[in-house]
Amino acid sequence: MSQANAVRMSSAQLAPQPGPWQVLCSRDDLVANSGVVAWFDGAQVALFYLPETEQGEQVFAIENRDPKSGANVIGRGIVGRIKDEYVIAAPLYKQHFSLEDGRCLEDSEQYLRVWSARLNGDLVEIAA
Amino acid sequence: MTANDTRNKRDTLVVIGNGMVGHHFVEQFIEQGGLDRYDVHVFGEEPMRAYDRVHLSEYFGGRDAESLAMCEADFYERDGVNLHLGAQVVEIDRAQQEVVTAQGRQPYDQLVLATGSYPFVPPIPGAEGNSRLVYRTLEDLDAIRAASAGARRGVVVGGGLLGLEAANALKSLGLEAHVVEFAPRLMPVQLDAEGGAALKAQIEALGVSVHVSRATQAIVAGEEYAYRMNFQDDEFLETDIVVFSAGIRPQDALGRQAELEIAERGGVVVDNHCRTSDSNIFAIGECASWNGSIFGLVAPGYTMARCVAAQLAGKPCEAFTGADMSTKLKLLGVDVGSIGDAHGATPGSVSYRFIDEANAGYRRLVISPDGKQVIGAVLVGDNSYYDTLLQYAQNGIKLPQDPSSLIMPVSDGAPVLGADALPDTATICSCHNVSKGAVCCAVDEGCTDLAELKGQTKAATGCGGCAALLKQVFEHELTARGVEVDKSLCEHFPYTRQELYGIIRVEGIETFDELLKTHGRGHIGCDICKPVVGSILASCWNKPITDPALVPLQDTNDTFMANMQKNGTYSVVPRVPGGEITPEKLIVLGEVAKKYDLYTKITGGQRIDLFGAELHQLPDIWSELIEAVRTGHAYGKSVRT
Amino acid sequence: MKSCVGSTWCRYGVQDSVGMSLVLENRYKGLRSPHKLKFAVSGCTRECAEAQSKDVGVIATDKGWNLYVCGNGGMRPRHAELFATDLDDKTLIRYIDRFLMFYIRTADKLQRTSVWRESLEGGLEYLKEVIIDDSLGLAEELEAQMQHVVDTYECEWANALQDPEKLKRFRTFVNDERGDPDIHFVKERGQRRPARASELHLIPVTEEAL
Ligand SMILES: Cc1cc2nc3c(=O)[nH]c(=O)nc-3n(C[C@H](O)[C@H](O)[C@H](O)COP(=O)(O)OP(=O)(O)OC[C@H]3O[C@@H](n4cnc5c(N)ncnc54)[C@H](O)[C@@H]3O)c2cc1C
Ligand code: SF4
């Protein structure tokens, strides 16, 4: 197990938080059609904000750690749409992950954790 | 039945050797479902898990050991697989069915020997320490690197394929490199006399001295350099280090100890199914001798590995019936190719030769006695002829009217054999044994994407030498089935980059959204079309790339105006026009590097690269640099060095 | 851009190669292209700046400059080809303007000039006709397009630093001050480098979890 995982697990145990929606940051922190990263209870969450999707505006929350490189860089990839699915291309090796379920399009052994996220007025919220 | 019961009933498979072939075997074995039947123990003598020995020389070119690994670190961590590294097997106890290491004994039901080979060092008096280096493992390369510190000259004994690679490595370490070959020409196994001479000329032009017909008789202390190598006839050559690359010998010590049948010229004897004289023991790769031959290349080793993996997993397998030893390589940047009977040794064979003295180029075509088939070829200087010649030789394709046209220079590059001329049995990828038929099958099953094809068939994922041929065959098959070969940039734009450039220029389009609405399909684009359009917009209109509408189009390097490195930090490269810089500016660079603890390196383009900046540090770093130096655009597809 | 010291210092030099490389670098520094572009200028035919391995190579002669194009080092080395000889400064720049813009116009994505050149039907001769003889009547347009890029150059770092809105993204976490806790360095030969996975056990984990 990599060290990043070790940290994440132990702090998750330290801070079990009930309640479905938690405030992560504000709308102002997001960058349209691109990503930023937030700290969430010891985890790094990449947030992608798409102002105009078919369902209106949407925020996706996905794990920031790229399993292939081990670096925390997913939030700095390019957002796109491939075969009717919103995806993120990891910046170092360009593999794609579905923003909806976190699976890697090229390699079934890689996947990223995803969280439910929403915009609530000026707040960005995430469900643990 | 509980999981435990199944486990108890499983047999144990032991693999000795975790080299390229041993690893490929384990991979294939797992893929074929072998773990349902066996627990696997792999013993490797080297401290590092299997790595790509073929690209070993890149270790000197800046690749680290980890990036040469054949698999991710967790590959060997799955259930049922145990990898023991730094563990040499010292004995096979066939009576007890156990292998013995310094750590203890491990029982086996089935055993696979994949112990590879070791470099042969001729018994020359005085060869020891830095005058007795070899070139096979990462540790060998570490030893060479250490020995080359402070050295000025290095000699490689042996002018074969590996010797020339080693010479290149010495050169890349900054040494004056020499090659000493016993035979009267370089690469005596693969090349004929003229080919060897052409290669020698090209290699000497690159600054490596070549001495042929020299037998080293002793190594003594030198006068100007550390050692003196004495040849016959009172000739000598002084040097600081000597690397031996005088051939390999199969690592068959365990086979001998266990009294398996050993071939006359070494190697554990195997049959057509890679079984040794003990039916519970297999041998694959360079330690195995089939029909009196050892195969010192990856592809035949992989074929053996697949054969044994299938047998043990209870799957149908093809027999191993020898392998083609044709090779194409780039040695010190010089193309060299050798196919089949390169020496024209077949009685009655006829040769065509093309000699280009001006560029030290040489090509030879060997034709069967009946004049109908290509049976061998030698290429020096230009390998673009290789693929076609190999197909002719392997598939017995009928020769053109004038066979010499196959090696004659043509104004438009080498002749290509149309993909339709290849029979279905033609091998496209020899590393993974993919035939043209298999490619056609994949296309029949609906594959229309090259990347998908590679994933499905594994073609062109080994040494990569067949990538161009694969693409050609693939596109041909698509066209033949009436599938239009798609030249679209991606699913969002049915245009090539050139066409998009025209559209953007002519219609004066300034944003991605506008282009997508007027000429594209779907929504938001993807990581293929966004950077391409971003770059075209910048080439045409040159708006700041930090513009909010442009930011989402760019690769991370352009977005953050710095170069992302493998751990997610950035390197910062200020512009130093023409490589000219005042001491004052240099001090600013130094101060910033010191303050932020940035790894500092001079680039080949006469600039200074500062590594290890974290994202949030970039603006501070720029604001401190900017009075002295400006952005170097090293992050962009733009003018760099 | 790579250059040798040229006639200013070198006893062999016949032109001011550093001066020319400054002119060229300052002219093309903001240009975006299908792939990266490398340049070099040598002060005489001894070629210390290795200009013949670059996309654009300039080598001084007694009478002016020789222009080489479409060379490449790296994985697939290719010698640059001699494109025009004994050019004066102005003509040199004009040809390079046209050459670069023609490449940008017609190359495929991520195609270096060397590969582009090999895919050009008609080869070097055709390229010479377009750039030198203006066979397509494009020359003026290409030059004007280049001039626009040159005139609108702006330092991208400076541009970003002026605008707090643009700097918003330069934060590791939008809701936390800390840096990325998974980035670890070790010292080697007196400098930092990224720690390898096998070295991470040396770094205490517990502190960071808190
Ligand atoms: C520099 C270089 C360049 C090459 N270039 C090419 C090329 O371009 N194309 C090509 O086809 N081939 C090339 N080769 C050859 C190719 O690398 C070999 O054919 C291939 O590695 C053979 O694989 P193997 O598994 O049989 O042996 P190896 O890769 O040698 O692996 C054998 C392993 O077994 C281990 N071992 C041995 N004895 C024991 C024991 N008793 N207990 C435990 N472990 C043991 C060894 O330490 C070793 O790690 C090149 C080789 C070198 C060195
Ligand atoms: S290229 Fe000519 S001018 Fe430049 S440094 Fe070399 S010898 Fe001197």
Side-chain angles (χ1 to χ4, degrees):
Chain A
M1 194 189 341
S2 84
Q3 194 184 20
N5 285 334
V7 174
R8 198 170 299 147
M9 275 184 42
S10 53
S11 36
Q13 284 157 3
L14 289 176
Q17 271 295 330
W21 292 104
Q22 293 180 52
V23 175
L24 205 53
C25 60
S26 71
R27 174 187 286 271
D28 218 34
D29 292 320
L30 301 175
V31 180
N33 291 313
S34 188
V36 295
V37 179
W39 181 258
F40 175 58
D41 266 356
Q44 300 192 17
V45 182
L47 296 169
F48 294 95
Y49 172 47
L50 303 181
E52 292 169 48
T53 74
E54 283 120 23
Q55 286 95 35
E57 64 175 14
Q58 260 187 291
V59 191
F60 293 98
I62 190 164
E63 187 179 351
N64 192 33
R65 181 174 182 275
D66 169 9
K68 177 131 191 214
S69 65
N72 298 316
V73 295
I74 295 295
R76 290 175 260 164
I78 298 181
V79 200
R81 192 160 167 93
I82 293 180
K83 298 197 177 125
D84 293 323
E85 192 169 20
Y86 289 107
V87 296
I88 177 69
L92 284 166
Y93 296 105
K94 318 290 179 201
Q95 76 276 38
H96 300 88
F97 295 92
S98 159
L99 285 177
E100 276 137 54
D101 60 20
R103 84 181 191 291
C104 174
L105 270 48
E106 288 84 8
D107 176 0
S108 57
E109 295 195 357
Q110 294 180 40
Y111 57 89
L112 298 179
R113 176 167 179 199
V114 291
W115 290 262
S116 313
R118 68 176 186 194
L119 276 158
N120 185 1
D122 271 344
L123 298 177
V124 180
E125 296 181 335
I126 166 171
Chain B
M1 208 187 321
T2 68
N4 242 340
D5 293 335
T6 6
R7 184 129 299 210
N8 287 341
K9 290 189 67 188
R10 289 148 64 89
D11 283 349
T12 301
L13 169 68
V14 168
V15 182
I16 307 181
N18 189 227
M20 295 185 75
V21 173
H23 170 75
H24 191 74
F25 166 77
V26 176
E27 212 179 58
Q28 292 294 317
F29 181 74
I30 293 175
E31 195 159 293
Q32 304 265 0
L35 291 183
D36 296 344
R37 302 169 168 232
Y38 291 94
D39 279 326
V40 180
H41 286 266
V42 182
F43 292 88
E45 183 178 354
E46 294 186 62
M48 166 81 186
R49 69 181 186 285
Y51 53 88
D52 185 354
R53 208 179 295 288
V54 171
H55 294 104
L56 187 64
S57 299
E58 291 171 22
Y59 188 53
F60 281 151
R63 279 182 73 175
D64 61 7
E66 192 55 40
S67 76
L68 284 169
M70 301 289 299
C71 59
E72 297 291 319
D74 57 8
F75 176 85
Y76 284 99
E77 279 165 19
R78 67 189 78 207
D79 280 349
V81 181
N82 306 279
L83 176 64
H84 311 271
L85 288 177
Q88 185 195 12
V89 172
V90 292
E91 189 191 329
I92 301 173
D93 184 341
R94 283 169 58 193
Q96 299 291 324
Q97 300 225 130
E98 287 179 344
V99 298
V100 184
T101 68
Q103 284 77 36
R105 303 173 77 90
Q106 168 66 50
Y108 67 83
D109 295 295
Q110 299 283 332
L111 179 64
V112 175
L113 288 173
T115 47
S117 58
Y118 62 91
F120 168 65
V121 179
I124 294 173
E128 57 189 32
N130 286 353
S131 67
R132 194 189 185 282
L133 296 160
V134 293
Y135 198 79
R136 176 144 191 109
T137 65
L138 286 168
E139 287 170 313
D140 294 340
L141 265 61
D142 285 334
I144 293 175
R145 200 197 302 259
S148 69
R152 287 170 296 155
R153 181 186 285 172
V155 172
V156 176
V157 177
L161 188 164
L162 294 181
L164 293 175
E165 278 223 29
N168 193 27
L170 293 184
K171 200 169 153 250
S172 73
L173 288 169
L175 270 60
E176 176 195 324
H178 293 252
V179 172
V180 172
E181 167 60 48
F182 174 73
R185 62 173 177 275
L186 291 176
M187 295 187 64
V189 183
Q190 293 91 348
L191 298 183
D192 61 357
E194 289 81 358
L199 180 62
K200 176 168 186 276
Q202 291 217 21
I203 286 194
E204 290 191 320
L206 292 165
V208 174
S209 310
V210 178
H211 315 264
V212 292
S213 304
R214 293 284 195 297
T216 312
Q217 299 184 319
I219 299 179
V220 297
E223 283 171 16
E224 283 181 51
Y225 297 82
Y227 303 101
R228 171 178 294 196
M229 305 170 66
N230 285 327
F231 306 127
Q232 70 278 37
D233 306 333
D234 290 337
E235 287 187 275
F236 65 85
L237 176 64
E238 295 215 340
T239 179
D240 293 317
I241 68 176
V242 184
V243 178
F244 283 91
S245 179
I248 55 167
R249 293 289 180 270
Q251 182 50 275
D252 55 13
L254 285 174
R256 288 176 194 272
Q257 168 270 317
E259 295 178 352
L260 297 172
E261 188 185 343
I262 301 293
E264 205 172 308
R265 284 155 62 202
V268 180
V269 173
V270 295
D271 65 11
N272 285 359
H273 291 89
C274 299
R275 231 177 255 276
T276 67
S277 54
D278 178 332
S279 64
N280 291 327
I281 304 181
F282 296 83
I284 56 178
E286 288 185 342
C287 64
S289 169
W290 179 86
N291 205 10
S293 299
I294 298 284
F295 298 90
L297 292 174
V298 184
Y302 280 9
T303 308
M304 296 183 191
R306 280 192 296 271
C307 168
V308 176
Q311 285 175 68
L312 289 174
K315 298 274 160 66
C317 82
E318 278 176 41
F320 178 81
T321 51
D324 182 48
M325 295 294 280
S326 301
T327 27
K328 100 172 147 178
L329 354 126
K330 218 181 194 54
L331 289 168
L332 293 100
V334 181
D335 278 348
V336 182
S338 163
I339 294 175
D341 181 9
H343 296 279
T346 311
S349 61
V350 189
S351 289
Y352 293 81
R353 288 192 171 89
F354 170 79
I355 301 178
D356 172 357
E357 286 185 355
N359 300 306
Y362 174 72
R363 295 191 280 282
R364 174 181 186 173
L365 180 67
V366 185
I367 306 287
S368 60
D370 62 6
K372 288 201 176 122
Q373 285 177 18
V374 175
I375 56 171
V378 178
L379 300 171
V380 175
D382 185 353
N383 267 351
S384 56
Y385 298 79
Y386 182 89
D387 288 347
T388 298
L389 289 172
L390 184 67
Q391 292 300 337
Y392 270 98
Q394 283 187 341
N395 301 305
I397 297 171
K398 202 166 147 272
L399 283 170
Q401 196 81 41
D402 173 14
S404 72
S405 67
L406 291 175
I407 56 166
M408 290 310 277
V410 269
S411 43
D412 274 322
V416 272
L417 186 62
D420 53 342
L422 296 177
D424 271 1
T425 49
T427 305
I428 307 292
C429 170
S430 42
C431 291
H432 291 286
N433 194 22
V434 183
S435 64
K436 179 183 166 193
V439 174
C440 297
C441 264
V443 174
D444 282 335
E445 283 161 17
C447 177
T448 55
D449 178 72
L450 192 59
E452 197 180 316
L453 180 74
K454 287 184 185 172
Q456 262 177 35
T457 61
K458 286 211 160 178
T461 58
C463 71
C466 64
L469 183 64
L470 179 71
K471 180 161 188 273
Q472 201 196 337
V473 170
F474 181 59
E475 291 186 349
H476 174 82
E477 290 307 317
L478 285 181
T479 319
R481 284 166 182 68
V483 181
E484 200 177 319
V485 179
D486 193 1
K487 299 226 160 61
S488 305
L489 196 56
C490 65
E491 65 180 68
H492 304 101
F493 290 101
Y495 299 103
T496 61
R497 178 193 173 275
Q498 296 90 319
E499 289 164 342
L500 285 178
Y501 183 91
I503 294 172
I504 290 174
R505 268 273 180 221
V506 173
E507 303 185 13
I509 293 174
E510 292 196 14
T511 64
F512 181 83
D513 285 347
E514 188 183 342
L515 185 71
L516 188 64
K517 272 199 197 90
T518 50
H519 296 278
R521 301 190 272 244
H523 210 68
I524 83 167
C526 66
D527 63 309
I528 305 289
C529 58
K530 284 163 116 183
V532 167
V533 174
S535 156
I536 298 177
L537 291 173
S539 294
C540 289
W541 320 123
N542 211 23
K543 294 267 169 60
I545 58 162
T546 48
D547 195 294
L550 298 179
V551 162
L553 304 184
Q554 269 128 37
D555 277 323
T556 183
N557 288 354
D558 271 314
T559 307
F560 295 104
M561 294 171 283
N563 293 37
M564 187 187 275
Q565 303 299 329
K566 67 179 191 184
N567 65 346
T569 61
Y570 288 91
S571 85
V572 174
V573 191
R575 187 167 298 284
V576 178
E580 180 183 270
I581 186 163
T582 62
E584 289 74 20
K585 292 183 177 181
L586 200 53
I587 288 170
V588 174
L589 285 179
E591 291 291 347
V592 170
K594 202 157 121 191
K595 176 166 170 190
Y596 293 92
D597 202 358
L598 302 174
Y599 170 82
T600 306
K601 181 149 190 347
I602 313 272
T603 72
Q606 303 186 341
R607 303 198 287 190
I608 295 168
D609 205 342
L610 309 173
F611 289 79
E614 291 191 47
L615 180 60
H616 60 269
Q617 295 177 320
L618 290 172
D620 294 339
I621 291 175
W622 299 335
S623 57
E624 287 179 47
L625 287 174
I626 210 152
E627 284 318 311
V629 287
R630 292 306 176 104
T631 175
H633 288 93
Y635 43 83
K637 306 277 177 253
S638 53
V639 178
R640 293 183 167 189
T641 47
Chain C
M1 187 161 312
K2 190 166 178 175
S3 68
C4 71
V5 289
S7 58
T8 318
W9 291 89
C10 175
R11 67 200 146 121
Y12 299 115
V14 292
Q15 306 276 354
D16 177 8
S17 45
V18 180
M20 179 49 80
S21 79
L22 284 170
V23 170
L24 295 178
E25 180 149 6
N26 282 323
R27 183 166 181 83
Y28 303 117
K29 61 189 172 187
L31 181 70
R32 298 284 157 146
S33 49
H35 211 310
K36 61 186 167 197
L37 289 166
K38 298 193 171 191
F39 280 56
V41 185
S42 279
C44 80
T45 50
R46 284 173 188 76
E47 245 284 68
C48 295
E50 300 173 340
Q52 289 171 86
S53 64
K54 306 294 182 195
D55 298 278
V56 176
V58 177
I59 301 178
T61 67
D62 296 336
K63 301 190 205 77
W65 305 99
N66 282 354
L67 173 61
Y68 290 78
V69 295
C70 303
N72 196 4
M75 204 155 68
R76 274 193 59 198
R78 178 180 198 270
H79 273 294
E81 291 159 316
L82 182 58
F83 188 75
T85 51
D86 296 328
L87 305 174
D88 59 32
D89 291 10
K90 261 177 119 171
T91 316
L92 174 70
I93 289 171
R94 214 163 49 218
Y95 285 178
I96 299 178
D97 276 6
R98 295 176 188 177
F99 167 75
L100 291 176
M101 267 300 162
F102 187 61
Y103 159 64
I104 289 171
R105 181 183 189 119
T106 56
D108 209 344
K109 73 176 154 75
L110 300 181
Q111 192 175 39
R112 289 291 297 268
T113 58
S114 55
V115 182
W116 167 71
R117 156 67 187 82
E118 269 158 23
S119 70
L120 267 191
E121 260 171 62
L124 186 66
E125 280 317 304
Y126 169 73
L127 194 58
K128 283 185 182 167
E129 283 162 22
V130 175
I131 305 299
I132 300 176
D133 309 331
D134 193 12
S135 59
L136 301 179
L138 276 177
E140 217 173 299
E141 186 183 331
L142 296 174
E143 283 172 42
Q145 289 169 351
M146 181 62 84
Q147 195 58 45
H148 172 75
V149 171
V150 174
D151 293 341
T152 48
Y153 169 79
E154 202 182 345
C155 171
E156 290 164 356
W157 291 349
N159 175 290
L161 287 173
Q162 281 159 14
D163 186 347
E165 196 51 29
K166 289 177 178 168
L167 293 181
K168 225 171 64 174
R169 296 200 67 184
F170 290 82
R171 291 183 286 174
T172 301
F173 301 111
V174 291
N175 60 350
D176 199 296
E177 290 290 303
R178 77 182 85 199
D180 183 344
D182 292 335
I183 291 178
H184 300 286
F185 293 101
V186 294
K187 286 262 176 193
E188 187 172 87
R189 297 187 293 274
Q191 299 205 67
R192 291 199 308 180
R193 66 155 169 81
R196 304 192 179 102
S198 60
E199 291 162 339
L200 284 180
H201 65 274
L202 302 171
I203 299 163
V205 180
T206 41
E207 275 174 26
E208 289 162 12
L210 300 175

